Amino acid sequence: ITNSSDIHAKQEEIRYQALHDSLTDLPNRALLFDRLNQAIIHGQRNNEQFALFMIDLDRFKQINDTLGHNTGDKLIQLVSKRLEAVLRESDTVSRLGGDEFAVLLTSVDEFQANHVAKKIGIAMKRYFNISDNHLIISASIGMAMFPTHGDTAETLLQRADVAMYQAKTEGTSVALYSPEQDANSRQSLEIESRLRET
């Protein structure tokens, strides 16, 4: 006979799995959204800024294709540990899937957020040792600030994402969102769809 504490433990486990990434144990997109919404409420109430980063690993596909998915998975796990080591307890590192991560930095201004982004960039450039392979990677980081760049979770994620593509395209490791980037990404989308039509 299962007792109520077993059932409760099982429910807790299911709830945990629903909110965490199975490979890294980091919060997943659902939990990130929840924390983003909490940060927005807190920020509005206390007139506080915060930052959201979107991080994409450069050349990850190449590593995955060349050395296999096992190595790719190990690399993702090591990256998540390294990200956590750079950040404060109050910050959230989330894995959104593949080689994409998001970081929520509470109670920081743009200058402080930039400093943390640089620290992440430096941490990523130290090589990763996986079964006798010394892997060197880098990361592209897109940064959006609350409330300057948006006041909803969706808008902030989308704008941090746009900035991340800007960082990737320009080969700079960090890019702060600016409205021109939206115009650029919209233009390239339009060009792409026009090319598809022809």
Side-chain angles (χ1 to χ4, degrees):
I1 303 159
T2 52
N3 61 29
S4 62
S5 66
D6 285 347
I7 293 167
H8 181 70
K10 193 81 194 134
Q11 285 170 337
E12 281 300 301
E13 192 187 323
I14 290 164
R15 190 178 129 69
Y16 185 87
Q17 284 168 353
L19 296 173
H20 291 81
D21 171 58
S22 58
L23 180 64
T24 59
D25 221 19
L26 291 176
N28 63 13
R29 191 179 287 268
L31 187 50
L32 174 71
F33 255 88
D34 186 47
R35 291 195 183 163
L36 256 176
N37 286 320
Q38 284 173 25
I40 289 165
I41 293 164
H42 180 82
Q44 285 166 339
R45 198 175 290 149
N46 300 290
N47 200 14
E48 266 184 13
Q49 293 177 285
F50 67 79
L52 179 69
F53 297 168
M54 286 291 274
I55 303 171
D56 191 72
L57 306 181
D58 305 323
R59 297 194 356 266
F60 177 74
K61 190 181 176 327
Q62 201 182 329
I63 289 167
N64 227 358
D65 292 349
T66 314
L67 300 171
H69 290 289
N70 258 354
T71 302
D73 284 354
K74 283 216 176 67
L75 180 59
I76 292 290
Q77 287 169 331
L78 291 174
V79 164
S80 67
K81 293 266 182 295
R82 208 171 274 189
L83 283 171
E84 285 182 311
V86 172
L87 301 166
R88 303 167 300 180
E89 283 280 309
S90 56
D91 301 322
T92 298
V93 189
S94 166
R95 180 174 177 232
L96 304 181
D99 61 334
E100 218 172 45
F101 294 85
V103 169
L104 169 61
L105 295 177
T106 50
S107 313
V108 291
D109 59 25
E110 197 182 302
F111 176 79
Q112 292 163 320
N114 213 16
H115 177 68
V116 176
K118 287 195 174 117
K119 271 169 63 177
I120 289 173
I122 292 163
M124 288 301 121
K125 284 194 172 104
R126 292 201 323 269
Y127 71 80
F128 292 87
N129 195 359
I130 302 168
S131 41
D132 297 333
N133 291 305
H134 292 333
L135 302 178
I136 294 172
I137 61 162
S138 56
S140 299
I141 304 169
M143 200 162 104
M145 296 296 302
F146 168 89
T148 319
H149 302 133
D151 56 8
T152 69
E154 288 84 357
T155 308
L156 288 164
L157 267 169
Q158 187 250 329
R159 293 189 166 163
D161 204 40
V162 166
M164 191 242 320
Y165 278 104
Q166 187 79 2
K168 233 183 200 355
T169 311
E170 291 175 354
T172 57
S173 55
V174 184
L176 178 68
Y177 172 79
S178 74
E180 299 84 75
Q181 293 167 356
D182 261 342
N184 291 346
S185 57
R186 222 169 273 136
Q187 260 170 328
S188 54
L189 270 179
E190 278 168 23
I191 292 165
E192 232 174 88
S193 45
R194 271 196 219 112
L195 286 172
R196 285 211 182 106
E197 282 162 20
T198 55

